[in-house]
Amino acid sequence: MKALVYQDLKQVELQDIEEPNIQNPNQVKVKIYGSGICGTDLNIVKGKVAANKGTVIGHEGVGTVVEVGEDVHGIRVGDRVLVDPTQSCGHCSYCREGLFIYCENFDDYQVGMTTHGTFAEYFVGDEKYIYPIPDSMSWETAMMIEPLGCVLQTFMKAGVKPSDSVLVLGSGAIGSLCQLVSKRLARLTVGTEIDPYRKQFAEGVADYAYFPEELTLEKVYEINNNKKFDIIVDAVGNQLHVGLELIAKGGRIIPMGYDDSYEVTFKSTQVINDGLSIIGAVAVHSMISTALKFAQSIPELEQMVTAKEYLTDYEQAFNGTMGYDLCSGEKLPMNSVKTALIL
């Protein structure tokens, strides 16, 4: 079967590999329709996040069940499903408390990084990680369920209220999704973005969207009743210093973007005196069912997938999402917020 396989630092390759088969009676085999390109996938191809050599990358897969093991009872051949990539050992102390993302053996279960992922024609996994999707739900919406679960996880942990004002720094895939959810939950939603294409997209999602240099403190006071923001999401991964400047007393800051090279310093007295909270619970803890239900009230979710490319055109898909050529490093215009690779 065709699959996108991690080779080495900044190197992925489309290969013909052996088709996976059911090995255990509780497993399900899925013919993949498509898989969304996540920021983690981009970081893998950029060389910022490591994957096991020879591993199929991708983890936001959806498709149709073509075979089930003899102990599978909740899923049938022909069902349209999505894959939950947040998998774990199930028996360590964190798993027993339901904190699966903190599994002590998590490195052995990272779909698309240490175990084969969904940028492939077929995927085989345990039934408990395979979720049927409603007949009325499009493939594009289904591909957004896993990242939607991440956003809901953090927003619920942050206790977003109808009276809150929310600033989302960065309007890529996860930033735009944060803005979309914030519009459902909060009073005011504001986004920033350096790329003109993505800023224009954010203008159709948030109440306001600005280039970063446009969002001065004076502008914040103008649009937000002379007050800083109650909640600030860093969807870039290197903007917490901006968040600390624009957060209101009693506010909550959510780091969501991932940049392992970024560090920020702050005075503990500011956090104490201003009653600030930093919410780090980004990853999904059994939120797929919740996200599936919530998604049915957000018809705009489908439009978050702004481009679809065939798996064979993966380089073009990555280039348009990253804003530069994967091979040469040449800067390119961004042409997508969320791209799906389809088979």
Side-chain angles (χ1 to χ4, degrees):
M1 70 171 183
K2 297 289 185 183
L4 193 57
V5 181
Y6 180 78
Q7 297 299 301
D8 205 343
L9 185 65
K10 297 185 179 181
Q11 295 180 30
V12 292
E13 184 178 294
L14 189 65
Q15 296 182 346
D16 281 307
I17 66 172
E18 185 178 352
E19 185 178 311
N21 293 305
I22 289 177
Q23 301 294 321
N24 299 312
N26 62 345
Q27 289 186 325
V28 174
K29 184 173 181 177
V30 180
K31 174 70 173 70
I32 296 295
Y33 163 82
S35 189
I37 296 178
C38 173
T40 300
D41 303 317
L42 296 178
N43 282 329
I44 289 173
V45 300
K46 290 176 182 177
K48 293 184 177 182
V49 174
N52 285 353
K53 186 175 181 178
T55 300
V56 177
I57 64 173
H59 61 268
E60 295 179 355
V62 300
T64 303
V65 175
V66 293
E67 185 181 352
V68 298
E70 59 184 20
D71 289 345
V72 173
H73 303 294
I75 294 175
R76 298 175 297 180
V77 171
D79 282 352
R80 299 165 70 244
V81 297
L82 65 86
V83 177
D84 178 3
T86 306
Q87 304 184 9
S88 58
C89 72
H91 55 73
C92 71
S93 60
Y94 288 105
C95 286
R96 289 180 182 275
E97 294 178 18
L99 302 174
F100 304 109
I101 197 68
Y102 303 141
C103 173
E104 293 171 349
N105 306 299
F106 188 61
D107 285 347
D108 297 330
Y109 296 89
Q110 295 190 68
V111 173
M113 296 175 68
T114 60
T115 65
H116 285 328
T118 56
F119 287 151
E121 293 183 68
Y122 291 93
F123 175 85
V124 171
D126 291 351
E127 178 186 16
K128 62 183 176 181
Y129 299 122
I130 308 295
Y131 286 74
I133 61 176
D135 292 338
S136 60
M137 182 173 288
S138 69
W139 289 123
E140 290 72 26
T141 297
M143 279 186 268
M144 296 301 300
I145 296 300
E146 191 272 341
L148 176 62
C150 292
V151 173
L152 290 177
Q153 167 76 19
T154 46
F155 275 38
M156 291 171 65
K157 188 72 178 290
V160 180
K161 305 187 298 294
S163 59
D164 282 333
S165 56
V166 177
L167 169 63
V168 181
L169 301 168
S171 300
I174 202 70
S176 296
L177 187 55
C178 285
Q179 293 164 26
L180 185 62
V181 173
S182 176
K183 281 282 287 183
R184 283 292 196 280
L185 302 179
R187 171 181 59 85
L188 175 70
T189 301
V190 179
T192 64
E193 174 57 43
I194 61 172
D195 178 74
Y197 169 83
R198 291 184 170 180
K199 175 181 175 289
Q200 184 178 28
F201 185 84
E203 289 171 352
V205 180
D207 294 308
Y208 300 97
Y210 299 99
F211 291 117
E213 65 272 15
E214 295 177 328
L215 191 61
T216 62
L217 186 57
E218 291 74 21
K219 177 60 69 174
V220 171
Y221 286 158
E222 176 187 329
I223 63 176
N224 193 31
N225 301 328
N226 206 37
K227 182 185 175 184
K228 295 182 180 181
F229 292 99
D230 299 300
I231 294 173
I232 297 181
V233 180
D234 174 10
V236 181
N238 55 20
Q239 296 296 303
L240 287 184
H241 60 287
V242 177
L244 288 165
E245 293 174 359
L246 298 179
I247 194 70
K249 291 183 178 181
R252 290 87 81 199
I253 298 176
I254 304 173
M256 287 202 75
Y258 196 87
D259 185 343
D260 198 38
S261 65
Y262 176 72
E263 294 181 359
V264 63
T265 59
F266 56 86
K267 292 183 178 180
S268 59
T269 51
Q270 178 191 1
V271 175
I272 295 169
N273 294 339
D274 289 352
L276 303 181
S277 298
I278 298 177
I279 311 297
V282 174
V284 178
H285 291 299
S286 302
M287 288 293 293
I288 297 298
S289 289
T290 300
L292 273 167
K293 294 173 185 175
F294 188 66
Q296 294 179 66
S297 71
I298 313 176
E300 307 97 315
L301 197 60
E302 182 176 358
Q303 277 66 57
M304 296 296 293
V305 178
T306 51
K308 290 187 288 186
E309 301 280 359
Y310 288 110
L311 184 64
T312 50
D313 297 323
Y314 71 93
E315 289 186 4
Q316 178 176 309
F318 284 135
N319 292 346
T321 307
M322 293 189 298
Y324 64 85
D325 187 274
L326 179 61
C327 297
S328 69
E330 177 189 359
K331 186 174 177 60
L332 299 170
M334 288 185 176
N335 57 23
S336 180
V337 174
K338 182 75 169 185
T339 300
L341 289 178
I342 60 175
L343 278 298

